[in-house]
Amino acid sequence: MKLIAAIVKPFKLEAVRTALNDAGISGLTVTEVKGFGRQRGHTELYRGAEYSVDFLPKVKVEVAVPDDKVDEIVETIIEQSRTGKIGDGKIFVYALENVVRIRTSEIGEEAI
């Protein structure tokens, strides 16, 4: 089992969620996050004064998947979140040692 964590632009969230649902993913976690990569933020103008925005708003989408679906899900996220511009985000894939569904006590892939 793997945990896929994708950091994407907020306006791409609905497209990613819909595509993951179509790919058979029944649950995911979404967190509003802030960060920066190579672009190092940007400057904005407010009431005639320029100021720097160091941390850009992003959305973190986390989904637990069986090993055989990892490549398909990663490709789905890439297809739906890519704009071709800087700041599209990153995808991290972590190994999951175990998953337990609290309500039913199911363990492993059955709990996903």
Side-chain angles (χ1 to χ4, degrees):
M1 295 176 297
K2 303 285 191 232
L3 177 67
I4 299 173
I7 310 296
V8 300
K9 292 182 176 185
F11 69 89
K12 289 293 193 171
L13 175 61
E14 189 58 31
V16 170
R17 187 199 63 78
T18 301
L20 290 175
N21 188 44
D22 293 345
I25 299 301
S26 59
L28 54 90
T29 301
V30 176
T31 310
E32 291 182 10
V33 296
K34 293 182 180 184
F36 65 88
R38 291 185 183 152
Q39 80 268 26
R40 299 276 188 240
H42 63 281
T43 58
E44 289 188 4
L45 197 61
Y46 179 72
R47 293 189 177 182
E50 192 173 281
Y51 66 98
S52 176
V53 178
D54 294 330
F55 293 99
L56 300 174
K58 301 286 183 176
V59 176
K60 182 178 184 181
V61 178
E62 295 174 300
V63 58
V65 299
D67 289 330
D68 61 337
K69 292 197 78 161
V70 171
D71 293 335
E72 173 191 351
I73 298 305
V74 167
E75 262 315 302
T76 298
I77 295 170
I78 290 170
E79 288 171 8
Q80 296 302 316
S81 61
R82 177 183 286 150
T83 66
K85 297 179 181 164
I86 195 163
D88 274 351
K90 296 264 191 310
I91 298 174
F92 304 95
V93 180
Y94 305 98
L96 278 180
E97 188 172 319
N98 202 1
V99 177
V100 178
R101 184 183 310 250
I102 295 172
R103 180 177 54 87
T104 62
S105 297
E106 292 172 300
I107 297 175
E109 286 190 17
E110 293 80 32
I112 296 178

